[in-house]
Amino acid sequence: MNLTLETTLHSKIVVLSPENNKHLLNLCGRCDEHIRLIEDRLEVHIKQRGFTFSISGQEQDVEKACLTLIDLYNQAQKDRMLAPYQVHLYLQTTGKKSPTMSTTEKSMEVRIKRGTITARGENQVQYLQNIFKNDINFGIGPAGTGKTYLAVACAVNALEMERISRIVLVRPIVEAGEKLGFLPGDLAQKVHPYLRPLYDALYEMLGYETVMQLMDRNIIELAPLAYMRGRSLNDSFIILDESQNTTIEQMKMFLTRLGFNSKAVITGDMSQIDLPNKRDSGLVHALDVLKDVKGISFTRFVPQDVVRHPLVQSVVEAYENYNNRNGKD
């Protein structure tokens, strides 16, 4: 007896409004590349006639595709040009959501003068909420989850709203042993390669010329972690990046630099500890020591939160699975 399993396809019609040809072209992309991307990622088939879209596929996938078209059309009305990477990031951050939940229910924005930074996904939203609520915040997770980028966005927002008077960027310089005298240039030039991810985010959000002017006026300050000892930082937004490479003593020293009307964000990835003994990591130690301290928040990101190229998430998951199989930390 042979059994034939038939897959029932579901179809749905979506009509986008208000009608605007410019916004429609923005949504579809060059040669409909955005529509093709949605089809490939959600495994649906989309037919378009003007502002009417017919989507067919598995019921859950169709529901996701409908919400995707509606949300991205709304985004296309705000952005002068909707880029393919934005469509990719949208699909990346909403792919695990319930199809009955609109992305607007799980998104949060940080407004800066040059635009709006949007966090999507429960962990990114929780991360921003924690930063706004608490004075010391930890963001822990794999590369590409937006830990540093969102922290910089919050710092820029606080500076532009005049809630703080300066931004301080800190990073442990493990590769050079924090003895940077042999490197050419002044302190900024010596440390620049190690703080490049923070610089890149600042350039995008403030513009190169503005960043340079603010650095000249010491409103944006950068320093190796070893240079923080003995200081007390008031009216500041301090970001400690790559904190997995701090020692236990350095982490304690950094956390006790916090002054009045200041906020600190500590980011790190415990899978990329460069210290000789991973158990000496100040981040690992802090998670245990500070877990019950009121006013300190911890946001843990997972591989599914990665918002870079789709392969980045696959790489992170592959390494995580390998370490789990082989009993590695």
Side-chain angles (χ1 to χ4, degrees), residues 118-138:
T118 302
R120 293 192 178 94
E122 293 183 8
N123 287 331
Q124 285 197 355
V125 170
Q126 186 62 53
Y127 185 49
L128 287 185
Q129 290 174 341
N130 287 340
I131 291 175
F132 288 131
K133 180 180 178 181
N134 301 290
D135 288 337
I136 296 180
N137 305 273
F138 286 80

Side-chain angles (χ1 to χ4, degrees), residues 3 12 54 87 95-96 101 133 135-136 144-145 150 160 168 176 216 224 227 235 249 253-254 275 302-303 312 327:
L3 294 177
K12 194 166 184 178
S54 174
V87 179
K96 304 294 182 182
M101 183 181 297
K133 180 180 178 181
D135 288 337
I136 296 180
T145 51
L150 291 176
E160 292 182 342
V168 183
D216 288 341
Y227 285 56
D235 296 311
E249 293 78 13
M253 178 271 291
F254 173 81
L275 299 174
V302 296
V312 173

